[in-house]
Amino acid sequence: MHTVWKGSISFGLVNIPVRMFTATEERDIRFRQLHKECNTPIKYTKMCPHCQREVDTSEIVRGFEYEKGHFVMIDDEDLEAITPETRRAIEIIDFVDLSEIDPVYFHKSYFLSPQDTGEKAYALLRSAMEQTGKIGVAQVTMRNRQSLAVIRLYEHCIMLETIFYPDEVRPVSQVPALPEATVPLAENELKMATELISNMTIPFDPAKYTDEYRSDLQKLIEKKLEGQEIATAPTVARTNVIDLMQALKESLESTAGQAAVPIKIDPEPTPSKPARKRTTAASLSEKEQASKKETAAGPKKKTTTSTTKTLRKKKATPV
């Protein structure tokens, strides 16, 4: 692993020199954007629209746009003057219970390991946190930015998790169309829903969950490399269950005594819009006949072309 930061953990008078490593990584398959004519990767340049030329990194400065087209200039010396002195310390402020912090606050995870002279103090903090069941709330400065963080245990390693400040979490009141907390519910429906949750509850095993799209995309790339034709699996017919009670009953039957399977309850159907005045009775009759023929014929199978179009709609992100 590559060391991304060196410093120390401090709590009280205890100081533990540590190294920091990124704990997670994205495994997305990324595409390069190419020039269609010659398959050359596209180059992104920093252009000044006023001077009409490419700008070198040494010519770029920082500016905060306080009004459209008006900037306050900020240079390195300005930032250095306000950077906290504890830039190389993870300062634990408080100890709390992990259950008190909602997961919405968690941002990025880092592993911490002791430096050469910090093994004993590291082991001491790890054992104390394990016995008390507490995690530390800390402040740390990385890349000239002060972050709020928590220190917790992950297996036998001390981990730092950067977390959002309270004003960085948007209030739920801004979410539109949320049902009221006092929505009346049928008791038998609620009972069946809780029973369904009970049937689908298992111990969490992260190894069970995989990125199926990434796996399929990797296979697609491998087949392209081998020059093979790409076959498309037929679309599974979708069962539409509209009645909520019926959906709960069928879900309970399908999960009773079996491994947990995700069940989706379809929303209630929206009222159909009235036909436009210009639509004649004859045209309505033709549409109804066509609809009946399609229903009798069953769902259409996806073609290779439609699958390719679907993949092309995914927005490619350059490396």
Side-chain angles (χ1 to χ4, degrees), residues 119-137:
E119 291 185 4
K120 185 174 181 180
Y122 183 98
L124 176 65
L125 176 60
R126 182 179 61 188
S127 297
M129 292 176 64
E130 187 175 13
Q131 288 188 20
T132 60
K134 303 295 182 181
I135 66 170
V137 179

Side-chain angles (χ1 to χ4, degrees), residues 49-318:
H50 178 266
C51 299
Q52 291 293 311
R53 66 177 179 84
E54 185 177 348
V55 178
D56 187 74
T57 304
S58 61
E59 301 178 85
I60 299 174
V61 296
R62 298 183 189 88
F64 175 77
E65 189 172 17
Y66 64 94
E67 284 182 11
K68 185 67 175 178
H70 294 79
F71 302 89
V72 174
M73 309 309 295
I74 305 293
D75 55 31
D76 293 339
E77 289 73 19
D78 294 327
L79 296 177
E80 286 288 338
I82 63 171
T83 300
E85 294 181 2
T86 56
R87 64 177 62 186
R88 287 296 174 186
I90 302 168
E91 185 180 356
I92 297 179
I93 305 167
D94 303 298
F95 283 93
V96 300
D97 292 325
L98 177 60
S99 59
E100 295 177 334
I101 303 177
D102 191 278
V104 72
Y105 285 95
F106 290 99
H107 184 210
K108 193 169 179 62
S109 305
Y110 298 91
F111 292 133
L112 299 177
S113 73
Q115 295 191 50
D116 296 337
T117 60
E119 291 185 4
K120 185 174 181 180
Y122 183 98
L124 176 65
L125 176 60
R126 182 179 61 188
S127 297
M129 292 176 64
E130 187 175 13
Q131 288 188 20
T132 60
K134 303 295 182 181
I135 66 170
V137 179
Q139 285 187 324
V140 58
T141 301
M142 296 186 295
R143 304 181 186 93
N144 291 329
R145 184 181 187 275
Q146 189 178 60
S147 298
L148 193 62
V150 295
I151 303 296
R152 68 182 186 90
L153 300 184
Y154 179 76
E155 297 181 1
H156 62 286
C157 179
I158 296 177
M159 171 177 278
L160 180 140
E161 299 256 11
T162 56
I163 63 177
F164 292 104
Y165 284 98
D167 61 353
E168 294 178 308
V169 179
R170 293 176 176 174
V172 176
S173 58
Q174 293 182 0
V175 181
L178 281 182
E180 295 293 333
T182 56
V183 172
L185 299 171
E187 188 159 341
N188 56 344
E189 291 179 352
L190 182 58
K191 181 180 178 181
M192 295 181 74
T194 55
E195 188 177 344
L196 173 60
I197 292 175
S198 178
N199 287 350
M200 297 177 65
T201 299
I202 61 170
F204 176 65
D205 178 13
K208 173 186 174 182
Y209 309 98
T210 57
D211 187 340
E212 295 181 3
Y213 171 74
R214 188 181 73 198
S215 177
D216 291 341
L217 184 56
Q218 184 64 48
K219 291 176 183 177
L220 171 67
I221 293 171
E222 290 172 359
K223 287 183 178 180
K224 287 276 190 180
L225 288 171
E226 295 170 1
Q228 297 180 11
E229 291 295 327
I230 301 168
T232 304
T235 304
V236 179
R238 184 174 180 271
T239 304
N240 290 320
V241 184
I242 298 175
D243 181 70
L244 177 59
M245 179 61 74
Q246 184 65 24
L248 289 167
K249 285 181 179 178
E250 293 187 11
S251 299
L252 284 171
E253 290 173 2
S254 66
T255 58
Q258 301 179 13
V261 178
I263 301 296
K264 180 180 179 182
I265 299 176
D266 291 333
E268 295 181 2
T270 55
S272 58
K273 295 181 179 179
R276 294 181 179 177
K277 291 182 180 180
R278 292 183 181 179
T279 306
T280 62
S283 63
L284 283 173
S285 176
E286 291 174 0
K287 289 180 180 179
E288 290 174 357
Q289 291 177 5
S291 178
K292 289 180 181 178
K293 288 180 181 180
E294 289 178 2
T295 304
K300 294 182 181 180
K301 295 183 179 180
K302 274 189 176 180
T303 63
T304 304
T305 304
S306 64
T307 303
T308 305
K309 287 181 178 179
T310 302
L311 286 172
R312 285 176 179 171
K313 287 181 181 179
K314 300 282 183 182
K315 186 175 181 181
T317 306

